[in-house]
């Protein structure tokens, strides 16, 4: 039954009378997407899992305040983006070095994995040259599968502006990776 309802209908119908069922349904629908977004930001499975759980705790806590000015998925991605950004800023301030990362650097990799890692590093370096907002636009579009309309709504931009910024961002990343 709940699979046929939109996110907004689920919130309207279930939140007042069955909040746990409401949250469980939304969690089931979006857990993987939020995890993939977190993973794209932190590139650490355990941290991405922790971030995902923390984000959903915030969503559950704030669900009553959801005013449907945007779609639920846009609202959720906004919370995800802000949470991940805050965590990255905090980590940079504290400059925590993970023992796991140190150990991984000492383990030699097979040649194929090395080439794949080298390509990922080139793309990552190219992405780092973009502004924070342009980098996030590309991630929202290509890693989180958000539509251009949802991104435009999230950033209060015109659809044509989102399309142009995505195009310019893609072109810059491609140029720097060649």
């Amino acid at each position: 039954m709940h699979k046929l309802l939109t996110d907004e209908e689920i919130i309207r119908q279930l939140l007042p009378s069955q909040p746990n069922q409401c949250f469980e349904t939304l969690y089931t629908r979006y857990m993987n997407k939020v995890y993939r977004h977190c993973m794209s930001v932190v590139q650490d499975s355990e941290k991405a899992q922790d971030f995902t759980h923390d984000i959903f705790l915030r969503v559950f806590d704030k669900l009553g305040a959801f005013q449907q000015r945007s779609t639920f998925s846009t609202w959720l991605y906004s919370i995800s983006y802000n949470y991940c950004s805050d965590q990255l800023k905090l980590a940079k301030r504290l400059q925590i070095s993970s023992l796991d990362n140190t150990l991984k650097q000492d383990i030699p990799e097979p040649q194929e994995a090395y080439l794949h890692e080298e390509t990922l590093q080139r793309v990552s370096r190219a992405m780092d040259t973009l502004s924070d907002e342009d980098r996030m636009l590309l991630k929202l579009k290509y890693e989180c599968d958000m539509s251009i309309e949802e991104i435009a709504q999230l950033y209060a931009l015109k659809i044509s502006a989102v399309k142009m910024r995505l195009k310019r961002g893609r072109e810059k990343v491609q140029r720097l990776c060649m």
Side-chain angles (χ1 to χ4, degrees), residues 67-88:
Q67 297 177 0
Q68 299 185 23
R69 290 187 206 147
S70 61
T71 63
F72 173 78
S73 62
T74 300
W75 183 73
L76 174 63
Y77 287 123
S78 177
I79 291 172
S80 300
Y81 170 77
N82 290 332
Y83 182 84
C84 290
S85 295
D86 291 346
Q87 293 303 309
L88 289 179

Side-chain angles (χ1 to χ4, degrees), residues 1-170:
M1 174 188 149
H2 300 304
K3 292 181 181 182
L4 303 176
L5 299 175
T6 67
D7 301 332
E8 294 74 19
E9 290 170 335
I10 287 171
I11 293 168
R12 274 194 306 274
Q13 291 179 17
L14 296 180
L15 186 60
S17 60
Q18 299 172 336
N20 290 343
Q21 183 65 41
C22 174
F23 180 74
E24 184 179 327
T25 302
L26 296 172
Y27 180 84
T28 302
R29 283 186 183 180
Y30 289 101
M31 186 269 304
N32 287 329
K33 286 184 180 183
V34 171
Y35 172 79
R36 283 194 309 271
H37 169 71
C38 293
M39 188 66 181
S40 74
V41 172
V42 297
Q43 301 188 357
D44 178 311
S45 181
E46 287 182 38
K47 279 186 185 177
Q49 287 176 356
D50 289 344
F51 283 17
T52 300
H53 292 296
D54 291 347
I55 288 165
F56 275 101
L57 287 174
R58 285 185 179 201
V59 167
F60 184 70
D61 189 45
K62 296 179 180 185
L63 199 52
F66 175 59
Q67 297 177 0
Q68 299 185 23
R69 290 187 206 147
S70 61
T71 63
F72 173 78
S73 62
T74 300
W75 183 73
L76 174 63
Y77 287 123
S78 177
I79 291 172
S80 300
Y81 170 77
N82 290 332
Y83 182 84
C84 290
S85 295
D86 291 346
Q87 293 303 309
L88 289 179
K89 288 175 191 171
L90 180 63
K92 282 182 183 177
R93 258 194 316 240
L94 298 177
Q95 294 188 353
I96 297 172
S97 175
S98 168
L99 178 60
D100 289 340
N101 289 338
T102 305
L103 292 173
K104 287 177 186 174
Q105 291 172 357
D106 294 336
I107 300 171
E109 296 180 327
Q111 183 65 20
E112 184 178 307
Y114 174 77
L115 293 174
H116 179 70
E117 181 65 28
E118 185 179 307
T119 302
L120 289 175
Q121 287 177 356
R122 265 190 287 165
V123 171
S124 180
R125 283 193 301 271
M127 291 286 289
D128 287 343
T129 66
L130 301 175
S131 70
D132 288 341
E133 192 169 290
D134 286 346
R135 181 174 43 252
M136 191 47 59
L137 289 175
L138 286 171
K139 286 184 175 191
L140 290 173
K141 175 68 178 146
Y142 297 104
E143 291 177 8
C144 299
D145 297 325
M146 284 183 76
S147 70
I148 290 173
E149 294 79 13
E150 289 173 319
I151 296 169
Q153 189 175 19
L154 180 64
Y155 283 95
L157 295 170
K158 292 183 178 179
I159 290 174
S160 60
V162 172
K163 287 179 180 179
M164 184 52 65
R165 289 173 75 172
L166 287 170
K167 180 180 182 291
R168 288 179 184 156
R170 280 191 314 265

